[in-house]
Amino acid sequence: MGGAAALGLAGCGSFTPSDGPSPAGGSTGGAGNKPSPQTHPVRPLGDGSTSYTGKQPHQPAKPTPLEPGQTPPQFVVFSWDGAGEVGNGLFPRFLDLAKQHGVHMTFFLSGLYLLPESKKRLYDPPNNPVGASDIGYLTDEHVKATLTNVRRAWLEGHEIGTHFNGHFCAGHGSVGNWTPQQWRSEIDQAKAFVKEWRTNTGWTDLPALPFDYDKELVGGRTPCLLGQDNLLPTAKELGWRYDASSPGGRQVWPEKKNGLWDLPLQAVPFPGRSFEVLSMDYNMLANQSINSTNAPTHNYPAWREQAAGAYISGFKRAYETNRAPFFVGNHFEQWNGGIYMDAVEEALKHIAAEKEKGEDVRLVSFRQFVDWMDVQKPEVLARLRTLDVGQRPAGGWNTYMKDTSGNTSESPANAA
């Protein structure tokens, strides 16, 4: 399979009923963060499905601007599309792993994962029949498990974004064809399913989600990385701060698009192949097993090693050169025997080990990353953006970042 095909694949599949999750934000890696005291009384919101509990716990220190000559941190964001717990234990597995290594992540919650199938006609998707969805509705027990894990994720400092609802990727009803007004309808419904799960389920024995979703929700990732152009005007109107839906990016420092930080999945080296692959489990799968989620098992060891190697290679290329933030997307899936979950765990542990050496590696949520970006001086970010993929700053970081007020149009870097 050629390189163009490898990079052009959709960001996630629509053939499975258990799409995945995503987590949280700040300016440090999270290790040693002290829980923020809950100084505000709990205040139920709406029907009591959500509540205001004060400032989110376990957040990094307030970010500060880079000083002249200072090396930028290496940011890494692990994110999860769907964020549903379907009985395979993957959501708590990665929450446990994050807690063990002081990592924050982003969970892009699909609103339908909090809506019982018996109430599916409450969902009116744009350009699709009422109640339709290209991902399956969860069982009641799995909705309860998802609520439990989303609650835990926020309390442990992770971000809860959105993966919208029905995950439509093909045909007339595809999200790629939706207007800004239709995106607004989809977002309003996704938020309502989170904010009104108690009404929709009738359950009174589960605790409320501990956040105000109207304030918590500041970004998302569209199904199959489609439809960003028409989403952005609506996202800007809603006050969102970033979007992670670009269909393939490069490992360079990001810019804003229509007023929002544009944070795409990135092309990274694919070990043993001449092309690069997007930094998402589904794209690894699509190149290895040609979209099959249950390929012959004899392939699994080599594919697992290749997928982990791709993530680690992407991290190393950025870390050792331009320090561009590294973004990874995943799903809570057992595709091909669960090898992609094992691969991302291996990569996370490898990157966390660099952080634990005392290096300035920060495993954060998208929200935490844009918190840092928003306090940097525009000329500093412009200087960082002159570094291409795999390029080191000429003269080293101290020299390169000493004076950011001069001409940045010259070629500033050396190839890695």
Side-chain angles (χ1 to χ4, degrees):
M1 185 177 296
L7 296 182
L9 294 163
C12 40
S14 58
F15 49 79
T16 167
S18 53
D19 211 349
S22 316
S27 67
T28 67
N33 291 341
K34 296 292 190 291
S36 301
Q38 297 293 290
T39 56
H40 298 272
V42 174
R43 186 174 77 243
L45 301 171
D47 68 355
S49 296
T50 59
S51 58
Y52 176 72
T53 59
K55 185 178 179 182
Q56 186 178 14
H58 298 285
Q59 292 304 291
K62 185 176 180 180
T64 56
L66 286 175
E67 298 292 337
Q70 184 178 355
T71 303
Q74 177 61 58
F75 288 99
V76 180
V77 180
F78 284 91
S79 59
W80 301 88
D81 288 4
E85 172 50 42
V86 295
N88 56 22
L90 291 173
F91 203 151
R93 170 182 166 182
F94 282 91
L95 286 176
D96 290 346
L97 188 69
K99 189 172 184 179
Q100 179 183 354
H101 294 283
V103 172
H104 289 140
M105 301 186 288
T106 293
F107 295 93
F108 291 123
L109 175 63
S110 292
L112 286 190
Y113 285 170
L114 300 186
L115 182 70
E117 188 167 11
S118 62
K119 297 295 182 69
K120 70 179 185 179
R121 292 192 64 80
L122 292 175
Y123 178 40
D124 186 9
N127 298 343
N128 287 277
V130 170
S133 173
D134 279 359
I135 54 173
Y137 288 84
L138 302 189
T139 67
D140 285 1
E141 288 307 307
H142 292 161
V143 173
K144 290 179 180 179
T146 298
L147 282 164
T148 296
N149 283 281
V150 168
R151 185 176 192 276
R152 176 186 167 188
W154 190 86
L155 289 172
E156 293 182 358
H158 302 290
E159 176 189 9
I160 309 301
T162 188
H163 199 43
F164 306 93
N165 291 310
H167 210 287
F168 302 103
C169 294
H172 170 70
S174 168
V175 300
N177 299 326
W178 290 358
T179 66
Q181 294 74 25
Q182 288 172 325
W183 276 113
R184 179 60 186 260
S185 171
E186 178 79 349
I187 294 166
D188 287 347
Q189 292 183 78
K191 290 169 67 176
F193 297 145
V194 175
K195 294 161 58 179
E196 299 170 10
W197 64 262
R198 199 177 293 280
T199 295
N200 294 333
T201 63
W203 301 333
T204 59
D205 57 340
L206 296 178
L209 294 173
F211 51 81
D212 181 344
Y213 205 40
D214 286 326
K215 294 182 171 61
E216 171 71 13
L217 182 57
V218 295
R221 180 179 288 136
T222 63
C224 297
L225 309 181
L226 296 172
Q228 186 194 55
D229 286 348
N230 281 341
L231 167 67
L232 288 180
T234 296
K236 182 178 181 181
E237 184 179 277
L238 290 169
W240 288 13
R241 298 175 60 200
Y242 73 87
D243 179 66
S245 308
S246 292
R250 302 165 70 243
Q251 287 189 275
V252 293
W253 283 87
E255 298 185 83
K256 284 188 174 181
K257 189 174 182 180
N258 201 7
L260 278 73
W261 288 109
D262 184 24
L263 308 177
L265 292 172
Q266 299 158 324
V268 296
F270 203 30
R273 306 301 292 269
S274 60
F275 56 82
E276 299 199 339
V277 66
L278 284 187
S279 51
M280 174 176 268
D281 51 9
Y282 180 76
N283 294 85
M284 310 270 179
L285 173 150
N287 280 283
Q288 291 173 334
S289 57
I290 320 302
N291 294 351
S292 171
T293 61
N294 192 26
T297 59
H298 69 268
N299 295 296
Y300 294 173
W303 286 350
R304 182 189 301 111
E305 182 179 357
Q306 185 181 46
Y311 294 131
I312 292 169
S313 295
F315 165 74
K316 288 183 65 177
R317 180 166 68 182
Y319 182 49
E320 296 172 358
T321 62
N322 65 359
R323 289 286 177 101
F326 179 44
F327 306 138
V328 175
N330 288 281
H331 303 78
F332 288 143
E333 295 283 2
Q334 293 283 18
W335 296 327
N336 288 337
I339 61 173
Y340 304 103
M341 298 295 90
D342 294 341
V344 77
E345 178 171 340
E346 180 181 340
L348 187 149
K349 287 179 176 177
H350 176 95
I351 296 167
E354 294 297 318
K355 173 176 72 73
E356 288 156 10
K357 290 177 186 176
E359 304 294 338
D360 198 1
V361 177
R362 306 186 189 184
L363 291 103
V364 300
S365 69
F366 279 118
R367 184 174 191 159
Q368 290 166 340
F369 172 64
V370 299
D371 284 345
W372 185 89
M373 291 288 284
D374 281 343
V375 304
Q376 303 308 310
K377 297 175 182 176
E379 59 269 23
V380 168
L381 295 179
R383 185 71 162 163
L384 291 171
R385 290 190 196 105
T386 63
L387 295 167
D388 206 343
V389 178
Q391 289 190 307
R392 297 186 178 94
W397 282 110
N398 183 266
T399 299
Y400 187 70
M401 298 299 292
K402 188 78 76 179
D403 179 11
T404 56
S405 60
N407 180 11
T408 60
S409 62
E410 299 175 9
S411 176
N414 299 316

